[in-house]
Structures are given as structure tokens and as C-alpha cells.
């Protein structure tokens, strides 16, 4: 079984500031990890994923995440927030690749 | 490709009525998923299909819910009879038949309100 915990249901940052969204997971097998983004009234879109190999993963729109096995974490970062980054972000883990377990989501607000 | 297409986008109905939500997955995708999203429970996997065959329906809340996939390009999620607690956004997602990618392509969702 697997689970995901996202710390902070709401995060606010100023435009141009660092974005850090936290995700911790548990998994009984080597995990596949994902970040998805949901804009208002839309479905989820994949931002980035970690399966195997390099632990620092780069995604779309300047986001990246680092898989840290020792900390069971997969935090999402972006060096400089843009107004268009305002959305809800979901971390997800897959034990078997086809069944994703999603976290509860983090609503990101970007302040001008 | 047009992406995953869901209909209707919005549905308002009265308690006790039958509701049918529809989904057209991306052509060539072997997996289809139905999720429900609510404020209280977040995103919940209801059921998923592989090559039109239901694989895991353990997330279907009760017998009032049923899902079918008669062919590779169409799936339905039916609620009969509907109840106010079924109000949610229902998402359909599809995934290609590649090993271990785990990438889901979501539709825009069907927002259901049961009065």
C-alpha cells in the first residue's frame, strides 16, 4: 500500500519568490512519484514524474522535484513564482504503476 | 488528438434521478480511470479498465454506482438513484499502454450537483 502527505493545504508566495511545495510518501515498493497541477475548472495535468534514475527531475514551466529516499520526500520547487503558477498542486505515488494515490492537494496563491 | 472528452460538463439533477456520465479516452490508450473529487475526500479512484475490462472497482462507493466500457472509445459512469452526497466533480482519465509510466491524461471533468 502507498500513501501521500502534502504539508500545507494553502501556500502563498510573492511573485518572483521561491516556490516550495512539500510532499512525503510511503510505499512498500520502490515508488514512482508524480506532481500534477490543476487549474480552475480543468482536469489535472502532469508536471513531472520520477520513476528511476536521476533523483532531480525537471518538469514543465520551470518546476523541478528531488526524490530523497532517506527522507521519503518528493518536494516541488520553482526558483521564481509567476502569477500564472497559481493553481492546485497534487503529489501522487504509484506502487503498481497504474494505480495512483493522490495527496490532498496544495493550493498555491501568487501575490503581486 | 483532442484529449479525453467528458460529457456533460455540468449536470444538475434531483435526488433519486439516474445520472449518466460519459467519457471518450484518447485513441490508443489502453487504460481508463474514473475519479471523483470532493472538498472533503479529495481525489478518489472509483474504477479502472484495461482494454475495456474492469480491473479494480474497489473504489466504487456502493451498488448505486456502475461503470461500463463497451468499446475502446467510450465509457460510462452511472449513478442510480442519485443522492445529494454524490455531488462532486467526476474525472475520466486515460493512460497509454506503456509499461510503468503512470502518466494519466485527464478530461475536464463533469460537475454533478444532486439537489
Amino acid at each position: 500500500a502507498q500513501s501521500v502527505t502534502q504539508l500545507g493545504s494553502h501556500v502563498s508566495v510573492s511573485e518572483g519568490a521561491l516556490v516550495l511545495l512539500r510532499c512525503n510518501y510511503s510505499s512498500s515498493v520502490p515508488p514512482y512519484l508524480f506532481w500534477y497541477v490543476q487549474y480552475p475548472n480543468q482536469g489535472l495535468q502532469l508536471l513531472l514524474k520520477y520513476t528511476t534514475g536521476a533523483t532531480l527531475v525537471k518538469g514543465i514551466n520551470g518546476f523541478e522535484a528531488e526524490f530523497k529516499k532517506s527522507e521519503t520526500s518528493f518536494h516541488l520547487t520553482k526558483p521564481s513564482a509567476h502569477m500564472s503558477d497559481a493553481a492546485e498542486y497534487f503529489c501522487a505515488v504509484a506502487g503498481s504503476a497504474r494505480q495512483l494515490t493522490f495527496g490532498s492537494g496544495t493550493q498555491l496563491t501568487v501575490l503581486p | 488528438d483532442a484529449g479525453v472528452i467528458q460529457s456533460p460538463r455540468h449536470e444538475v439533477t434531483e435526488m433519486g434521478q439516474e445520472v449518466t456520465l460519459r467519457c471518450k479516452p484518447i485513441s490508443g490508450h489502453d487504460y481508463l480511470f474514473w475519479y471523483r473529487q470532493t472538498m472533503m475526500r479529495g481525489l478518489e479512484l472509483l474504477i479502472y479498465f484495461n482494454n475495456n475490462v474492469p480491473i479494480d472497482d474497489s473504489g466504487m462507493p456502493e451498488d448505486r454506482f456502475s461503470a461500463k466500457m463497451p468499446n475502446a472509445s467510450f465509457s460510462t459512469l452511472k449513478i442510480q438513484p442519485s443522492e445529494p452526497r454524490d455531488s462532486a466533480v467526476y474525472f475520466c482519465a486515460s493512460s497509454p499502454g506503456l509499461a510503468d509510466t503512470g502518466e494519466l491524461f485527464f478530461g475536464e471533468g463533469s460537475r454533478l450537483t444532486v439537489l
Side-chain angles (χ1 to χ4, degrees):
Chain A
Q2 56 270 351
S3 65
V4 173
T5 301
Q6 290 185 240
L7 299 175
S9 58
H10 291 83
V11 170
S12 293
V13 300
S14 298
E15 191 172 20
L18 171 72
V19 176
L20 170 61
L21 305 183
R22 299 178 187 275
C23 173
N24 289 89
Y25 70 90
S26 67
S27 177
S28 56
V29 298
Y32 294 153
L33 296 160
F34 307 81
W35 277 98
Y36 281 80
V37 60
Q38 184 179 29
Y39 298 102
N41 299 314
Q42 295 187 25
L44 281 70
Q45 304 171 34
L46 182 68
L47 265 182
L48 49 80
K49 63 184 179 185
Y50 167 80
T51 52
T52 57
T55 57
L56 182 62
V57 179
K58 295 185 184 300
I60 61 173
N61 300 336
F63 284 93
E64 61 183 34
E66 186 171 11
F67 169 59
K68 292 187 177 180
K69 183 178 179 180
S70 62
E71 299 177 8
T72 61
S73 68
F74 192 57
H75 302 331
L76 181 70
T77 61
K78 181 174 181 178
S80 177
H82 191 272
M83 297 297 288
S84 61
D85 295 327
E88 189 155 21
Y89 293 79
F90 293 89
C91 183
V93 61
S96 61
R98 294 302 167 190
Q99 291 205 43
L100 293 185
T101 299
F102 286 91
S104 55
T106 298
Q107 182 68 46
L108 176 66
T109 299
V110 182
L111 305 171
Chain B
D1 200 310
V4 175
I5 299 173
Q6 293 186 244
S7 65
R9 290 294 312 278
H10 301 274
E11 174 91 4
V12 180
T13 191
E14 293 188 347
M15 182 173 62
Q17 297 298 305
E18 178 179 292
V19 173
T20 299
L21 308 179
R22 298 171 176 81
C23 176
K24 176 178 169 54
I26 294 173
S27 177
H29 283 191
D30 294 334
Y31 291 82
L32 184 139
F33 304 78
W34 282 101
Y35 282 87
R36 179 171 67 176
Q37 185 178 38
T38 61
M39 290 291 291
M40 292 297 294
R41 301 175 68 90
L43 270 165
E44 302 173 278
L45 176 64
L46 300 178
I47 184 172
Y48 81 96
F49 297 82
N50 180 22
N51 292 323
N52 313 336
V53 176
I55 302 300
D56 185 352
D57 65 354
S58 60
M60 296 286 262
E62 48 197 276
D63 292 345
R64 298 185 296 107
F65 286 70
S66 62
K68 294 182 180 180
M69 192 165 185
N71 57 63
S73 59
F74 183 66
S75 177
T76 60
L77 178 67
K78 186 174 293 187
I79 308 172
Q80 166 62 17
S82 59
E83 298 182 2
R85 59 188 168 129
D86 302 330
S87 298
V89 181
Y90 291 82
F91 287 103
C92 176
S94 68
S95 180
L98 299 173
D100 301 332
T101 64
E103 179 174 355
L104 304 184
F105 295 78
F106 282 79
E108 293 187 319
S110 294
R111 181 177 296 276
L112 173 65
T113 302
V114 183
L115 303 175

